[in-house]
Amino acid sequence: MKKLFWAAGLCLLPWIAVLGTTLPEVAQAQHWRLAWTGFDAAEAAGLLLTAWLVGRGDPRTPFAAIATATLLLADAWFDVVTAGDDVVFSLLMAGLEVPLALACLSVALPRPTVPAHV
């Protein structure tokens, strides 16, 4: 599996260069509203699932929290880079999404244990 991930990651590098040099600066997209509302619905579901799992002390919490953090960070990235004239609003949204993502990651990461004093 490790070799697959290495190969896929390395194969993406030249593809990124191709995209960076061939994609148009501006593109019109089909179903733009559906794409963004669906993406935000996935974030809401992730946040609600994470909250529910945290409340239960469920060991699956890190999986939901990391997936949700990933969605939030991707949303912040695309908000900012596709902002156009709405850059201030997009930065405000990213200012909410990034801290939420960090909160999700703080739930997902193991807590350091403090050894008992001997």
Side-chain angles (χ1 to χ4, degrees):
M1 197 59 103
K2 179 174 80 171
K3 287 181 182 179
L4 171 68
F5 296 144
W6 273 107
L10 291 172
C11 286
L12 275 173
L13 297 177
W15 179 243
I16 291 166
V18 169
L19 291 176
T21 58
T22 62
L23 284 175
E25 285 293 319
V26 176
Q28 191 170 12
Q30 298 279 337
H31 310 294
W32 189 249
R33 285 187 195 132
L34 178 61
W36 280 107
T37 56
F39 200 84
D40 285 351
E43 290 172 341
L47 288 164
L48 294 170
L49 177 61
T50 301
W52 183 65
L53 292 171
V54 166
R56 295 184 53 189
D58 195 297
R60 297 170 294 182
T61 302
F63 299 112
I66 289 170
T68 304
T70 302
L71 289 169
L72 289 163
L73 291 172
D75 193 354
W77 169 260
F78 285 106
D79 281 345
V80 173
V81 299
T82 64
D85 294 336
D86 295 332
V87 70
V88 172
F89 180 73
S90 294
L91 288 172
L92 288 172
M93 291 307 298
L96 296 172
E97 292 157 348
V98 171
L100 269 175
L102 294 174
C104 287
L105 292 175
S106 76
V107 166
L109 298 175
R111 306 271 187 269
T113 56
V114 178
H117 191 359
V118 181

